[in-house]
Every structure is written in structure tokens, then in C-alpha cells.
């Protein structure tokens, strides 16, 4: 045990001395691990256990520890961090539970009280940094640097610290206590500069990294601060405002179709999307003067001080964002871009002092180029100083980034998933630091040279490589001059997927809006992201898929198609990005189709005349017909999939199908979401089409969530709707129960009758309507026959955005 590491540090122990001197254990089986990475281990799962340290006189302080759960003996067990401990039965604690929640609690004489709770993915074998701040009556709980729980309570004013398990086993390490409740930063990765701030929290609306450095006559990056704020809803309005002179905050409301290809942005501008469904299609942003090879030093009129935040970019005709010609001090933050003609964010021709942070690059091929070409040394050498941090490179193919000449380029705490070609390339004597990143399913995470470009220099340290190659390094690179924190690399998957992309921050200059993963106090979700089957698919004998059959793994489209048509029960594990032989590929009975490691399909599954089928954890993108079509089939469970932009329906259920559950899916960048019932003339559907839709995230999809004909009763509960023309429509005598949902920015949340279809019955109750139209209801609905527990609608947004979609379960 070491003491007084800093002036305000009361206590620290990393167990490197091989003992637990100073700790008092009760219950469980405690020891210090004997391997090189020593930790305090509690190995029993048969009871509750705790180990305490420190003094009872400590009052206001912050206690932090890294915690790695190794087993949970049950469905609602926890590991915990303790503060202001009075005795073994009285203290405050921050509990990380196996049901994918974190709870801030008080234990009084052995009786617990929940003070606050939030959703967070929890997995055995994953390391989490827990932190509990106690200052006066203020209590704050953090997971991986993100504030998730807070409360006010005055029961205990002082006390010891501790760690604990409840019918669980875990390793605890790097325990530290700081006075004044200021809170320690996560342990920095040597030899980085002294860190500040929290790696998992986007923080205040202030740029960090290279964009924060004073240089070239500009002090940091403030964008349009101090200028007027305007809101634009059309292309002509935006083009005029972006090219205007003087500081200005331009709020983009809705998706604007730009005529393309590129549109000029002048100095001192903040361009920020309103909500999670604003941005641009068809065109991109050009930040910089016209190209001039004769200019080899920053000109006085170079574009500078620009912020781009919270915007969606889709189907751009050239680049989504291009930064060129010595443009400096640019912050590109919390945006989402999908696919377009060329780069997502290209930075070149002497540009510098740029930070690219918390963005979600979704399926982009040429993602981020840094440096124009091998012959551009005159403009680029000594410049191209860029920071890339906490970005989600989600099935991007290459250039994440590809660097020429830039030095120091800093790539840290990003999450790379299924990178097709390579992650980071350092060429033409560039100097790149790659640290604290999480690479998953990336054959070539980082290397030197690329194409005809010569070697650069690349230093890699403390990265997490999961099912990935080793990478290539060479040369040395000095650290950048700014302060920063490197979070634990293997924690970045949870941190980045929860925080990156649109809809997670407010307007620069205003208080930061908490991201969906950091809600105000809400009820604990009934069903965690990995929850058991609920709803109609539990009836008629239940739905088990390929259970009991052989398990096979497939990584190409033809092999998947063959397995789907097998007459035998199969559990089919799908890996990689697959193109199947047909637009719609038949699925026979008794199949479980399970995505592993970000599996993606670009065409559809046809479950026709089949029974007992499960489809989970797949991403469907760019399908040509339907993503999933269920017809004439029974007992089907469609769970934890992502549907991202295709031709027709995401999930259509029709032609007398029955006993179906559609749960924890995300539909985004799409219009026709979920049809239930083929057409008004298909009266054979009467008495069938019994479907449950729960905990789905309809993220900007426009209609059919679902659109119901004939089915009765159809159960729609605890879904989150954002930005839709209409939510649920009941037609042709259907009976639909709509309860406990959250409708936000939905013009017509519930509809009785739709288009030319006659009305059905619809009962709506216990829903929340935020900036939405009035719900419609009529008649009554048959009772729901299966057991379920309804979450309070106030917690649905947080629970669903944290848990819905592919990649949220452990297949």
C-alpha cells in the first residue's frame, strides 16, 4: 500500500506489494492475486462479502476503483464501491448489477434504499472504473468516467471506504481516495501528460485536444460564441448563413437536402443540429479557402474557429466535411455520418489544430484522410496537428485516419469495430500516437506506409486488441502539449458506443444536455438488454430456435443461405459483412440466427411457412426488398437487431403469421418500419397476427411502428419513438394495446384508421408524449394472456437508447 501520492490523496492501493494490509474483510473469500497484474480478489459467489479500509473521520472525498466482475450467481447480483462506511451494515454504495444497471444506494442496518439508478451494459470479464463522490449531502456515482447517478442524502456525514460483492465474484484494483470530493481522474497511461477531465463524458461545450491549443493568433476554438443565433430549415437559408461574415451560431433543424457537392463555411461559426434527427443529405461542408499550391504558409485570411456538432451526414456527393488550405482551430464533435461518395472527414493542405471527437462513422469506406497526397510536403510538413478521440469507427473500411506528414497526430480512446481494410496508417514521416483504443475484429489495426506512400512513425501503447491483429509500429513521437486523460482501453466499447454520435449533447454555449445513457433518476428497466423472451412468442409452446441442434459459424453469404435452408435444427453464428445470393433468402424452421462481432447483412431474410425461428444481434443495411419478412409462420423472435436504411420494410409480419415477439431492435435512417398485415383484402389474417413489440427504438423512422390490420390483440409496450410522422396505426378491425411508450417529436403518435384502411380498436394508456400530437383511441382490446411487467414510461427513453440494437448482448 502506498500513501500520499498527491497533496489531496488520502489513500491509494494497487496491491503491487502482494498483500492487503490495511483492509478488513468480512464474508466471502479474499486474497491478492499472484499474477503480474495484482488485484484484490473476492472469489466466492455464495454470499455477500465486503472489505473495508481507511478511517472513520473522512468526510468529503472521492473514492475510485477498477472493478472486474468474474461471476454472478443469479440474475440480479452486484459488485460495489462503498463510501462513508459506519459498519458492515451501514454505508453508501455504488452497485454495478448483473441486470445491466448501476444503482446509488444507502444501506441502513442491513436494509437498502435506492437513491438513483441508470442503465449501463454489465458483462462478466469486463473492467469498469467506479467512482463515488461524497461532499456534504451530495452523492455522485460514475461509471467509466461518466456521471450516471446522483442524489442528496444526509444520513452519513463521514466514514471509511470499501469494496463489496453480493453473490458475485470480482477483482478490485487501483483504489484511490481523494479529499474535497473533487474526484480522481482515471489512472493515466504513462508517459502521457498529467490528465484532466473524464474520458467518458463529453463535458462542457468547450473543445479539447489540438483544437484547444493557442496558436496562429487564435486562442482555442469557440466557434460562433458571441454572435447571433439563427435557426435554418432549408438549404438556401443554411448556405447563406454558413457563408456569411462574422461570428454566428447556426442551428440546423431537420434533415436538409443540400444541392451538393460542397458548401462553404466561413470563420467563427458554430453549426449544430437540433435534437438527434437534424443534418444534411446530398452535400457536404467545405471549411477552407480555394486550393492554391503556391501558398505554403498560413495566410492571414485562412478560415478558422469553426465548430461542427450534432449533425447527421448522409449520401454526400463529395466529402461530408472537408478541411483545407491552412484552416485552423476546428472542432468536429458528436456527429454521425453513414455513406457517401468520398471521405467522411478529410483534413489536408496545411490545416491544423483540429479535434475530431465522439463521432459515429457508420459503414463509411474512405473515412478520414489526413494529408492530401505524397507530393504535398510543402504545405503539410510540420502541420496537420489533429486529435481523434472517442470516435466510433463502426464497420468503416479504411482511413481511420490515414496520415501523411502530420506530427503529432493523436489517436486515443476510440472504438474500432469490424474494420475491413485497416485502422490507422502512418506514412510520409508522419508522427502518430495510437493509445488506449479498443480494436475489435480488426485484422490490421495500425501500420506504417500505405499504397505507394513511404513509412511514417507510429507509437502504440495500451490498446485493447480483441480478435484483432498485432499492428505495426516504428520510430518515436513526442507527446502533444495539451493535458488529456486516457481511459482504460477495454472499457472504450461501452463508453464510446453510449456516447458517440448525434443526440448526446446540447448546443455549444448552453449547458450540456446529458446523453441518453446518463438519465435523471428513472425506474430500473424491467428487462435488461440481454433479457429473456417475453410476449406472444412465449405462447403456443414457446420459441427456442435451433436449441438442441448443432452450432455452426458462417462468414460468407452462400454458406449462410445454405445453413438457413437446412432441414435440421441449427444455431447459426454469423460473422463479418455478408452479401447473400438473393434479395430475400429463405429461413426454415428451428433456426437461431445470431450475429457475432458486428455481423452485417445487406439483403433480407424470408421466414415463410416456418416455425420456431430466432433472429438476434444482426445489423441489416441497404436491403433491396425487406430486411425480415415473416409470412405464414409461427413462433418467431426478432431481438436486438439494427435496421439501417433499406428499400422496403424493416420487419414485415403478414399472411396469418402468429405468436411473434419483436424486441429491443433499433430502426434508423429508414421510412417504412414494421407492417403487420398484408392488405385490406386479406381477411384470412383475422384471428392471427398476434405480435408483441417491446423496447424497440424507432430512431427517426417515419411510419409503421407498427401499422396493423386485423391482428387482435397486438401489444405495443415500452418502445421509444423519436421523430416519426406517425407511431402506431390500428386499422381493419385490429385490436392494439399501446402502453408505457415514450413518443418524442411524433406528429401522430397513435392513429385509428390510416389512409384508405378502415379503423380498428386502439387502447392507449400510461404513455408519455413529448412535443408530439394528440393520441387517438377507440373501442377496446382483448386481454393480454401472457405475464409481463410494464416499465414506467419515464424510464423508457434511457433504457431503450442504452439497450436496443445490435451489439448490446453477448452472443
Amino acid at each position: 500500500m502506498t500513501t500520499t501520492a498527491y497533496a489531496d490523496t488520502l489513500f491509494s492501493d494497487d496491491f503491487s506489494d502482494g498483500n492487503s494490509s490495511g483492509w478488513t474483510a468480512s464474508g466471502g473469500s479474499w486474497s491478492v492475486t499472484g499474477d503480474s497484474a495484482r488485484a484484490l480478489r473476492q472469489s466466492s459467489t455464495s454470499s455477500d462479502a465486503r472489505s473495508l479500509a481507511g478511517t472513520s473521520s473522512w468526510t468529503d472525498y472521492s473514492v475510485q476503483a477498477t472493478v472486474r466482475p468474474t461471476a454472478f450467481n443469479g440474475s440480479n447480483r452486484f459488485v460495489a464501491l462503498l463510501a462513508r462506511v459506519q459498519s458492515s451494515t451501514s454505508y453508501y454504495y455504488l452497485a454495478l448489477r448483473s441486470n445491466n444497471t448501476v444503482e446509488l444506494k444507502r444501506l441502513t442496518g442491513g436494509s437498502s434504499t435506492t437513491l438513483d439508478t441508470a442503465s449501463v451494459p454489465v458483462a462478466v470479464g469486463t473492467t469498469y472504473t467506479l467512482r463515488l463522490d461524497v461532499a456534504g449531502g451530495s452523492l455522485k456515482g460514475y461509471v467509466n468516467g461518466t456521471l450516471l447517478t446522483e442524489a442528496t442524502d444526509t444520513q452519513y456525514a463521514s466514514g471509511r471506504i470499501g469494496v463489496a460483492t453480493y453473490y458475485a465474484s470480482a477483482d478490485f484494483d487501483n483504489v484511490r481516495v481523494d479529499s474535497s470530493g473533487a474526484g480522481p481522474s482515471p489512472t493515466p497511461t504513462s508517459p502521457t501528460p498529467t490528465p484532466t477531465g473524464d474520458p467518458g463524458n463529453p463535458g462542457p461545450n468547450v473543445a479539447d485536444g489540438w483544437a484547444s491549443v493557442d496558436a496562429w493568433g487564435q486562442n482555442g476554438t469557440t466557434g460562433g460564441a458571441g454572435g447571433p443565433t439563427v435557426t435554418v430549415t432549408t438549404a438556401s437559408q443554411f448556405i447563406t448563413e454558413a457563408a456569411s461574415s462574422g461570428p454566428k451560431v447556426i442551428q440546423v433543424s431537420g434533415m436538409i437536402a443540400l444541392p451538393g457537392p460542397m458548401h462553404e463555411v466561413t470563420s467563427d461559426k458554430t453549426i449544430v443540429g437540433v435534437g438527434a434527427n437534424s443534418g444534411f443529405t446530398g452535400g457536404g461542408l467545405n471549411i477552407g479557402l480555394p486550393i492554391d499550391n503556391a501558398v505554403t504558409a498560413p495566410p492571414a485570411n485562412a478560415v478558422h474557429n469553426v465548430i461542427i456538432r450534432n449533425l447527421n451526414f448522409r449520401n454526400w456527393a463529395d466529402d461530408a466535411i472537408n478541411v483545407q488550405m491552412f484552416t485552423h482551430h476546428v472542432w468536429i464533435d458528436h456527429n454521425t455520418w453513414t455513406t457517401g461518395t468520398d471521405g467522411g472527414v478529410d483534413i489536408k493542405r496545411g490545416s491544423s489544430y483540429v479535434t475530431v471527437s465522439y463521432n459515429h462513422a457508420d459503414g463509411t469506406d474512405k473515412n478520414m484522410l489526413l494529408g492530401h497526397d505524397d507530393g504535398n510536403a510543402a504545405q503539410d510538413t510540420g502541420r496537420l496537428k489533429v486529435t481523434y478521440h472517442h470516435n466510433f469507427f463502426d464497420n468503416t473500411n479504411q482511413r481511420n485516419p490515414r496520415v501523411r506528414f502530420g506530427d503529432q497526430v493523436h489517436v486515443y480512446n476510440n472504438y474500432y469495430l469490424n474494420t475491413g481494410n485497416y485502422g490507422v496508417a502512418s506514412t510520409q514521416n508522419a508522427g502518430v500516437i495510437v493509445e488506449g483504443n479498443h480494436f475489435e475484429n480488426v485484422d490490421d489495426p495500425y501500420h506504417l506506409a500505405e499504397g505507394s506512400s513511404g513509412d511514417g512513425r507510429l507509437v502504440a501503447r495500451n490498446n485493447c486488441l480483441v480478435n484483432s491483429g498485432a499492428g505495426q509500429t516504428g520510430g518515436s513521437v513526442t507527446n502533444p502539449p495539451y493535458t488529456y486523460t486516457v481511459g482504460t482501453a477495454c472499457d472504450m466499447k461501452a463508453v464510446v458506443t453510449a456516447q458517440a454520435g448525434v443526440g448526446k449533447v446540447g448546443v455549444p454555449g448552453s449547458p450540456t444536455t446529458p446523453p441518453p445513457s446518463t438519465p435523471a433518476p428513472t425506474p430500473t428497466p424491467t428487462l435488461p438488454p440481454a433479457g429473456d423472451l417475453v410476449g406472444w412468442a412465449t405462447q403456443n409452446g414457446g420459441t427456442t430456435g435451433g436449441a438442441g441442434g448443432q452450432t455452426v459459424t458462417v462468414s460468407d453469404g452462400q454458406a449462410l443461405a445454405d445453413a438457413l435452408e437446412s432441414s435440421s435444427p441449427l444455431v447459426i453464428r454469423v460473422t463479418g459483412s455478408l452479401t447473400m445470393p438473393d434479395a430475400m433468402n429463405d429461413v426454415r424452421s428451428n433456426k437461431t440466427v445470431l450475429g457475432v462481432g458486428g455481423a452485417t447483412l445487406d439483403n433480407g431474410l424470408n421466414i415463410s411457412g416456418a416455425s420456431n425461428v430466432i433472429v438476434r444481434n444482426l445489423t441489416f443495411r441497404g436491403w433491396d426488398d425487406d430486411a425480415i419478412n415473416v409470412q405464414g409462420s409461427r413462433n418467431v423472435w426478432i431481438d436486438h437487431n439494427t435496421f439501417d436504411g433499406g428499400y422496403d420494410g424493416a420487419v414485415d409480419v403478414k399472411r396469418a403469421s402468429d405468436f411473434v415477439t419483436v424486441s429491443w431492435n433499433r430502426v434508423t435512417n429508414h421510412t417504412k418500419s414494421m407492417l403487420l398485415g398484408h392488405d385490406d383484402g386479406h381477411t384470412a389474417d383475422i384471428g392471427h397476427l398476434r405480435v408483441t413489440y417491446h423496447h424497440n427504438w424507432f430512431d427517426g423512422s417515419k411510419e409503421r411502428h407498427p401499422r396493423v390490420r386485423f391482428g387482435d390483440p397486438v401489444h405495443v409496450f415500452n418502445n421509444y419513438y423519436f421523430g416519426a410522422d406517425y407511431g402506431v396505426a390500428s386499422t381493419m378491425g385490429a385490436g392494439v394495446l399501446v402502453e408505457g411508450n415514450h413518443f418524442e417529436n411524433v406528429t401522430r403518435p397513435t392513429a385509428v384508421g390510416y389512409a384508405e384502411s378502415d379503423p380498428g380498436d386502439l387502447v392507449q394508456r400510461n404513455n408519455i408524449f413529448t412535443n408530439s400530437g394528440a393520441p387517438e383511441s377507440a373501442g377496446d382490446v382483448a386481454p393480454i394472456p401472457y405475464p409481463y411487467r410494464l416499465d414506467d414510461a419515464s424510464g423508457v427513453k434511457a433504457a431503450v437508447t442504452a439497450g436496443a440494437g445490435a451489439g448490446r448482448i453477448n452472443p
Side-chain angles (χ1 to χ4, degrees):
M1 179 163 55
T2 59
T3 59
T4 322
Y6 300 94
D8 61 352
T9 299
L10 302 175
F11 175 95
S12 66
D13 198 349
D14 61 6
F15 306 100
S16 59
D17 54 7
N19 65 62
S20 56
S21 176
W23 292 84
T24 303
S26 62
S29 179
W30 296 87
S31 63
V32 175
T33 58
D35 53 21
S36 59
R38 295 184 184 273
L40 181 61
R41 174 168 294 172
Q42 199 294 104
S43 56
S44 172
T45 62
S46 61
S47 66
D48 59 345
R50 63 193 59 79
S51 189
L52 309 179
T55 67
S56 59
S57 62
W58 288 346
T59 54
D60 295 347
Y61 58 85
S62 176
V63 55
Q64 176 174 291
T66 56
V67 184
R68 185 174 72 91
T70 54
F72 291 111
N73 183 14
S75 60
N76 196 20
R77 311 312 194 190
F78 66 77
V79 297
L81 185 65
L82 283 50
R84 289 184 179 170
V85 178
Q86 312 297 298
S87 68
S88 62
T89 60
S90 298
Y91 45 78
Y92 294 120
Y93 62 112
L94 185 67
L96 197 65
R97 286 191 175 273
S98 59
N99 68 347
N100 296 285
T101 59
V102 60
E103 293 179 342
L104 180 59
K105 301 175 75 76
R106 183 186 70 234
L107 192 69
T108 307
S111 178
S112 66
T113 300
T114 300
L115 304 175
D116 195 9
T117 184
S119 299
V120 63
V122 179
V124 169
T126 299
T127 300
Y128 303 87
T129 299
L130 300 186
R131 185 175 116 201
L132 182 53
D133 291 358
V134 289
S138 174
L139 312 176
K140 295 182 178 181
Y142 297 75
V143 180
N144 296 332
T146 300
L147 176 63
L148 292 182
T149 59
E150 55 184 325
T152 300
D153 191 273
T154 58
Q155 182 79 21
Y156 308 128
S158 63
R160 305 172 74 191
I161 60 98
V163 294
T165 62
Y166 179 73
Y167 292 88
S169 59
D171 291 346
F172 300 89
D173 201 1
N174 301 315
V175 182
R176 180 172 154 183
V177 183
D178 284 348
S179 63
S180 304
S185 299
T187 304
T189 305
S190 179
T192 58
T194 302
T196 60
D198 290 328
N201 191 327
N205 292 290
V206 177
D208 58 5
W210 275 114
S212 69
V213 175
D214 297 347
W216 293 8
Q218 175 68 35
N219 295 331
T221 303
T222 57
T229 297
V230 297
T231 300
V232 298
T233 59
T234 67
S236 60
Q237 289 175 321
F238 170 74
I239 292 168
T240 299
E241 298 293 354
S244 65
S245 60
K248 191 170 292 184
V249 176
I250 304 170
Q251 296 188 105
V252 177
S253 180
M255 292 298 296
I256 296 177
L258 295 176
M262 303 299 293
H263 301 276
E264 302 302 321
V265 178
T266 57
S267 298
D268 305 312
K269 297 292 184 295
T270 293
I271 304 174
V272 60
V274 177
N277 204 38
S278 295
F280 304 108
T281 63
L285 307 183
N286 184 62
I287 309 170
L289 300 172
I291 295 171
D292 188 342
N293 291 330
V295 178
T296 58
N301 64 337
V303 176
H304 60 278
N305 193 29
V306 175
I307 296 174
I308 309 293
R309 290 190 100 191
N310 202 45
L311 292 163
N312 291 284
F313 293 85
R314 299 170 185 164
N315 302 315
W316 53 90
D318 191 339
D319 295 328
I321 301 174
N322 177 58
V323 181
Q324 69 177 21
M325 286 305 297
F326 302 94
T327 291
H328 58 98
H329 291 89
V330 177
W331 185 25
I332 300 169
D333 177 76
H334 275 96
N335 304 287
T336 296
W337 51 86
T338 53
T339 54
T341 300
D342 203 356
V345 175
D346 285 1
I347 302 168
K348 53 197 180 186
R349 296 186 180 275
S351 296
S352 221
Y353 303 100
V354 180
T355 295
V356 182
S357 58
Y358 287 98
N359 301 285
H360 181 185
D362 186 2
T364 319
D365 178 15
K366 300 175 181 178
N367 194 33
M368 296 183 181
L369 181 68
L370 182 54
H372 177 61
D373 61 32
D374 293 351
N376 210 54
Q379 291 182 328
D380 289 341
T381 301
R383 304 182 180 101
L384 301 181
K385 297 182 183 296
V386 182
T387 304
Y388 301 86
H389 73 84
H390 293 91
N391 299 288
F392 182 11
F393 299 118
D394 181 4
N395 286 269
T396 58
N397 189 43
Q398 58 182 316
R399 303 184 182 180
N400 306 286
R402 184 213 202 274
V403 185
R404 296 179 175 98
F405 303 112
D407 187 17
Q408 306 97 341
V409 176
H410 193 193
V411 183
Y412 78 93
N413 280 166
N414 302 282
Y415 173 49
Y416 295 77
L417 176 65
N418 298 329
T419 305
N421 192 340
Y422 66 87
V424 183
S426 179
T427 78
Q428 298 299 109
N429 199 36
V432 184
I433 300 171
V434 180
E435 62 177 332
N437 302 282
H438 186 154
F439 295 90
E440 184 172 0
N441 301 332
V442 181
D443 290 339
D444 183 1
Y446 39 83
H447 65 230
L448 306 177
E450 173 62 27
S452 60
S453 301
D455 286 0
R457 292 165 287 121
L458 191 149
V459 172
R461 56 197 180 211
N462 301 298
N463 296 288
C464 179
L465 302 171
V466 177
N467 193 32
S468 296
Q472 180 187 19
T473 63
S476 62
V477 185
T478 58
N479 286 316
Y482 49 80
T483 57
Y484 65 100
T485 295
V486 178
T488 304
C490 287
D491 291 347
M492 286 305 108
K493 177 176 181 176
V495 171
V496 171
T497 55
Q499 299 285 351
V502 296
K504 310 298 176 67
V505 291
V507 177
S510 69
T512 301
T513 301
S517 59
T518 59
T522 58
T524 303
T526 302
L527 301 173
D532 293 334
L533 174 59
V534 174
W536 276 114
T538 65
Q539 305 297 288
N540 191 42
T543 304
T544 58
Q550 182 183 0
T551 297
V552 298
T553 300
V554 299
S555 57
D556 71 80
Q558 186 61 58
L560 175 56
D562 292 343
L564 293 173
E565 293 199 53
S566 168
S567 60
S568 302
L570 287 178
V571 175
I572 306 167
R573 294 169 63 86
V574 183
T575 66
S577 297
L578 281 63
T579 297
M580 299 176 69
D582 301 311
M584 299 300 296
N585 299 269
D586 290 338
V587 182
R588 298 186 67 177
S589 299
N590 305 312
K591 299 293 183 294
T592 294
V593 189
L594 182 64
V596 179
T600 302
L601 303 181
D602 60 9
N603 39 24
L605 303 181
N606 185 44
I607 306 171
S608 180
S611 63
N612 194 30
V613 174
I614 297 173
V615 180
R616 301 185 83 195
N617 205 42
L618 289 164
T619 294
F620 295 82
R621 181 180 288 122
W623 58 90
D624 293 327
D625 193 338
D626 294 329
I628 300 178
N629 177 57
V630 181
Q631 62 182 23
S633 296
R634 296 190 171 205
N635 293 95
V636 177
W637 184 23
I638 299 169
D639 177 74
H640 274 98
N641 303 287
T642 294
F643 301 92
D644 183 2
Y647 173 71
D648 201 0
V651 178
D652 285 1
V653 182
K654 54 195 180 186
R655 297 186 182 277
S657 293
D658 226 343
F659 307 111
V660 178
T661 293
V662 182
S663 59
W664 292 102
N665 300 284
R666 182 183 181 186
V667 183
T668 186
N669 190 28
H670 190 62
T671 298
K672 299 176 181 178
S673 185
M674 296 184 181
L675 180 68
L676 181 54
H678 178 62
D679 61 32
D680 292 351
H682 201 266
T683 56
D685 285 336
I686 296 172
H688 303 292
L689 300 183
R690 286 169 286 191
V691 182
T692 303
Y693 301 85
H694 74 84
H695 293 89
N696 299 287
W697 181 7
F698 299 112
D699 182 13
S701 58
K702 295 302 182 185
E703 57 185 45
R704 304 184 181 178
H705 317 95
R707 185 212 200 278
V708 185
R709 296 178 173 99
F710 302 114
D712 185 15
V714 175
H715 194 192
V716 182
F717 76 93
N718 284 159
N719 302 282
Y720 173 50
Y721 297 79
F722 181 84
D725 293 339
Y726 75 87
V728 184
S730 179
T731 76
M732 303 305 297
V736 186
L737 174 60
V738 182
E739 59 176 342
N741 303 281
H742 187 157
F743 297 88
E744 184 172 0
N745 299 337
V746 179
T747 304
R748 192 180 179 189
T750 60
V752 176
Y754 183 75
E756 297 179 357
S757 299
D758 293 336
D761 292 341
L762 189 149
V763 173
Q764 71 86 17
R765 62 194 183 203
N766 303 314
N767 299 289
I768 287 178
F769 305 96
T770 303
N771 192 32
S772 296
E776 301 171 18
S777 60
D780 53 26
V781 179
I784 301 299
Y786 49 79
Y788 70 101
R789 192 176 122 194
L790 188 70
D791 295 341
D792 191 288
S794 64
V796 164
K797 178 177 179 178
V800 170
T801 56
R808 303 302 178 92
I809 60 174
N810 293 317

